[in-house]
């Protein structure tokens, strides 16, 4: 078969022939891949920087896809932890990591939206006791997953949603996606802290795609501005666009009711993630949660790797 193949962590994948995978396990089947999203998680696996990378080469990237079974069934599936990824003409599906899609579902928008939507959907449904009416701050709301997180928080019943990011133009667009308020993270520390404290001090949950220095600023600003510091604040770490580490003062933890936790592979079981896929897929199929896809042929994977995509758009490779 043809596939995108990574032979060096310092270079993009190339379109070339690669041995076709074989379904061997009790729950495995071989499907024709129809669409596979080029997500940040895929890029980090392909350059060896993701925390799950084992350094083995060559590899076929791709962590999820929409495929068709020999019987014509349409599936969205998450790739097995071992074996080639989904950016290929065919892929192995473990039926325990797949959901059936309604006939006629467009595979391209589904492949574009499931992965970025899954990050906040699973976080709010599986990592915290999120209740309708709770308020949410999305840090990094101008990125693709962050934009979806704003909409997902609202869809799951958030009473108040705040989006925070650096791009003023993109921040303004968030108000049409469900954000009640937006906060610009540019400027000096004092200005940023004042804005965050004024607008987001009383939130119940923070969905954090940035980490690093912006998170340090935001934590201090929210916790010191909170009217009742004993009121619980759940801080869910999902992405690290601004840095891998933070400095968290001990006094800040003692002086407030802060819970810091992550959401991703390992912190949520595979079964837990898969259990959330049908409801998320239904929202995407209904058009409630959409990402603007940019379809490109798999044969142009090198070009796709170097093609910038605007926030809200997601490159989808079509074998």
């Amino acid at each position: 078969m043809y596939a995108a193949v990574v032979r060096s962590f310092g270079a993009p994948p190339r379109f070339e022939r690669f041995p076709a995978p074989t379904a061997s396990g009790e729950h495995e089947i071989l499907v024709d891949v129809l669409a596979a999203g080029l997500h940040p998680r895929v890029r980090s696996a392909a350059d060896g920087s993701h925390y799950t990378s084992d350094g083995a080469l060559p590899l076929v990237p791709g962590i999820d896809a929409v495929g068709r079974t020999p019987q014509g069934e349409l599936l969205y599936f998450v790739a097995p932890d071992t074996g080639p990824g989904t950016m290929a003409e065919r892929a192995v599906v473990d039926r325990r990591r797949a959901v059936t899609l309604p006939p006629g579902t467009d595979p391209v928008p589904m492949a574009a939206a499931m992965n970025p939507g899954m990050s906040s959907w699973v976080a709010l449904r599986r990592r915290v006791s999120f209740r309708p009416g709770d308020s949410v701050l999305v840090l990094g709301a101008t990125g693709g997953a962050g934009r979806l997180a704003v909409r997902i928080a609202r869809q799951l019943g958030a009473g108040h949603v705040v989006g925070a990011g650096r791009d003023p133009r993109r921040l303004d667009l968030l108000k049409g996606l469900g954000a009640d308020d937006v906060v610009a993270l540019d400027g000096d520390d004092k200005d940023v802290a004042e804005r965050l404290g004024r607008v987001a001090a009383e939130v119940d949950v923070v969905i954090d795609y940035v980490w690093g220095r912006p998170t340090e600023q935001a934590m201090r600003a929210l916790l010191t501005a909170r009217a009742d510091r004993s009121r619980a604040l759940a801080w869910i770490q999902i992405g690290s666009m601004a840095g891998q580490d933070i400095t968290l003062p001990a006094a800040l933890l003692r002086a407030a009711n802060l819970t810091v936790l992550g959401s991703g592979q390992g912190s949520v079981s595979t079964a837990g993630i898969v259990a959330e896929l049908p409801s998320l897929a239904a929202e995407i199929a209904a058009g409630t949660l959409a990402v603007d896809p940019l379809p490109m042929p798999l044969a142009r994977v090198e070009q796709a790797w170097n093609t910038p995509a605007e926030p809200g758009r997601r490159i989808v490779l079509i074998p």
Side-chain angles (χ1 to χ4, degrees), residues 101 193 229:
L101 300 174
R229 294 191 185 184

Side-chain angles (χ1 to χ4, degrees), residues 32-64:
D32 292 325
V33 176
L34 303 180
L38 178 49
H39 315 300
R41 167 68 177 82
V42 175
R43 292 181 183 274
S44 63
D47 66 18
S49 65
H50 195 265
Y51 65 87
T52 62
S53 176
D54 61 7
L57 291 173
L59 66 85
V60 174
I63 58 168
D64 67 344

Side-chain angles (χ1 to χ4, degrees), residues 257-282:
N257 186 2
L258 171 67
T259 300
V260 181
L261 65 164
S263 185
Q265 282 179 273
S267 58
V268 183
S269 69
T270 298
I273 293 172
V274 173
E276 296 297 336
L277 298 184
S279 53
L280 176 58

Side-chain angles (χ1 to χ4, degrees), residues 156-232:
L156 293 179
H160 193 86
V161 181
V162 181
R166 293 189 178 277
D167 189 315
R169 179 179 61 87
R170 294 170 185 168
L171 276 175
D172 287 342
L173 297 175
L174 294 177
K175 293 184 178 179
L177 300 176
D180 298 287
D181 292 295
V182 295
V183 180
L185 297 179
D186 57 343
D188 63 37
D189 289 2
K190 184 177 180 181
D191 289 341
V192 172
E194 190 278 329
R195 284 188 226 109
L196 283 167
R198 173 166 40 85
V199 175
E202 304 305 324
V203 299
D204 300 292
V205 179
V206 177
I207 299 175
D208 186 350
Y209 290 99
V210 296
W211 210 236
R213 177 62 177 160
T215 292
E216 293 177 357
Q217 292 176 295
M219 274 188 182
R220 185 180 296 276
L222 266 60
L223 294 174
T224 55
R226 220 160 168 77
D228 178 5
R229 294 191 185 184
S230 67
R231 179 181 172 184

Side-chain angles (χ1 to χ4, degrees), residues 115-117 119-120 138 140-150 152 209 238 312 314:
N115 176 265
S119 63
S120 57
V138 180
T142 52
R147 284 164 57 98
L148 265 180
V150 168
I152 284 170
Y209 290 99
I238 297 178
R314 185 59 53 103

Side-chain angles (χ1 to χ4, degrees), residues 35-47 50 61-66 76-78 86-87 107-119 144-145 148 284 291 293 304-305 309 313-317:
L38 178 49
H39 315 300
R41 167 68 177 82
V42 175
R43 292 181 183 274
S44 63
D47 66 18
H50 195 265
I63 58 168
D64 67 344
V66 176
Y76 169 79
F77 64 97
V78 178
T86 59
M87 291 185 170
V108 175
M110 188 66 63
M114 280 294 284
N115 176 265
M118 199 184 307
S119 63
L148 265 180
I284 294 169
V291 171
W305 222 257
R313 299 207 80 186
R314 185 59 53 103
I315 294 173
V316 177
L317 295 175

